[in-house]
Amino acid sequence: MRHSSSLALPRGSLVRIAEGIYVLSPEALYAEATRGLGWATCARLANRLASAYAIEPDSKALLECTPHTSVAAIESYLHRLARGERNPALRALAWAVDGCASPMESHVELLACLPQRFGGWGLPIPQMNYPVALSAQSRVTLGCATCRIDLAWPNAQVGLEYNSRSFHDEQRAWEHDAHRQNVLEAQGFRIVPLTWPQLAGPLEFEAVVRHLARLIGHRVQVRNDSARRAAECALRDELFGERGEGIRGDGTTGLAYDSALKTPG
């Protein structure tokens, strides 16, 4: 099968995967797949393309991988494509992040940081999976030289750790997480834990966000609560509903692929 185009594609639009076979680059895929989509959906797709995980099709297990692209590379491509500055796909990159290690980390970032008119809480953009160098003693007890914080605001030395484990998980795993949190706090970080029930419940999530905001030094001011809650409901439907990646009751991934990666048609 052959496809032809009369358009002058920017450099970096195609990736050669075999002799005579080319596919769209991640940056070009973003530009094509986001036509006509809203800001939140665009930011979600950018997070996925710049993520550091893959999902094994059979077991649905999360696998660590090298990111296919970065938010900066996508932005650079869109500028070369001469898309207008008011293009939602370009402007949405202001709330996209590099290096999410799971779908849920992306969902947490979007719910916490998108503007309120799009269903978020407008927190400052965090660094994802931020590395913290450990002291010699902590290296021995944890068996590693660094710990990564799911969402971190390094300037405020505040981090958020998402724990998807269900109530019936092993006590040993829970104790390891608690010890890890103590180590990070000994390194100067204040860690806010987030569980699946807290993420799934809008009021519970609001309490966590407001606590985070106080620690970061960010003021959360809601001007139109009914409009914000309606936007949050729509965002949650997209992230956790039929259009989003399948999420089991304990907050773990249940489907292999994100429907936002499919070109809408």
Side-chain angles (χ1 to χ4, degrees):
M1 180 181 293
R2 290 186 176 182
H3 297 276
S4 62
S5 174
S6 60
L7 299 177
L9 295 175
R11 184 180 180 85
S13 295
L14 299 175
V15 177
R16 180 177 178 270
I17 60 173
E19 183 65 32
I21 300 178
Y22 293 81
V23 297
L24 286 177
S25 67
E27 299 80 19
L29 172 62
Y30 177 83
E32 178 65 25
T34 53
R35 291 178 182 271
L37 298 182
W39 290 27
T41 308
C42 292
R44 174 169 161 249
L45 177 56
N47 279 4
R48 182 64 181 91
L49 290 172
S51 68
Y53 72 89
I55 301 177
E56 205 283 323
D58 295 327
S59 69
K60 311 301 185 290
L62 289 178
L63 307 175
E64 185 177 350
C65 71
T66 302
H68 298 297
T69 186
S70 67
V71 174
I74 296 173
E75 182 177 9
S76 175
Y77 180 84
L78 291 182
H79 282 299
R80 298 200 304 276
L81 198 60
R83 292 283 177 88
E85 292 291 337
R86 297 187 62 81
N87 175 31
L90 180 59
R91 300 182 70 183
L93 295 178
W95 295 281
V97 291
D98 295 327
C100 292
S102 71
M104 298 305 294
E105 289 182 5
S106 174
H107 295 354
V108 172
E109 186 269 329
L110 293 172
L111 282 167
C113 301
L114 278 172
Q116 292 185 19
R117 64 185 181 278
F118 298 130
W121 282 98
L123 292 188
I125 302 300
Q127 293 188 41
M128 307 301 293
N129 292 285
Y130 180 78
V132 177
L134 301 180
S135 65
Q137 181 178 354
S138 296
R139 292 180 185 182
V140 172
T141 56
L142 286 185
C144 56
T146 61
C147 273
R148 293 185 178 273
I149 302 175
D150 292 344
L151 288 78
W153 292 264
N155 290 340
Q157 289 196 293
V158 173
L160 182 143
E161 286 279 287
Y162 175 69
N163 181 4
S164 65
R165 293 190 178 94
S166 65
F167 177 80
H168 297 289
D169 273 340
E170 295 180 0
Q171 178 73 12
R172 183 177 179 181
W174 182 89
E175 291 174 352
H176 178 271
D177 284 348
H179 181 58
R180 184 173 177 275
Q181 179 175 332
N182 290 337
V183 167
L184 288 170
E185 290 180 345
Q187 300 292 124
F189 272 83
R190 290 169 290 180
I191 301 299
V192 177
L194 177 68
T195 63
W196 166 245
Q198 289 174 312
L199 177 58
L203 294 178
E204 291 83 354
F205 187 70
E206 177 180 351
V208 173
V209 166
R210 289 188 179 277
H211 178 49
L212 262 178
R214 286 192 293 270
L215 294 178
I216 297 169
H218 178 80
R219 183 181 180 187
V220 173
Q221 185 174 4
V222 179
R223 291 184 174 85
N224 188 333
D225 187 60
S226 61
R228 198 213 64 76
R229 292 194 182 280
E232 182 182 7
C233 182
L235 178 59
R236 285 178 173 274
D237 282 345
E238 176 172 338
L239 296 178
F240 305 123
E242 292 182 359
R243 293 179 58 194
E245 288 180 276
I247 306 298
R248 299 190 181 101
D250 61 353
T252 57
T253 304
L255 294 181
Y257 299 106
D258 185 347
S259 60
L261 292 176
K262 301 176 183 177
T263 303

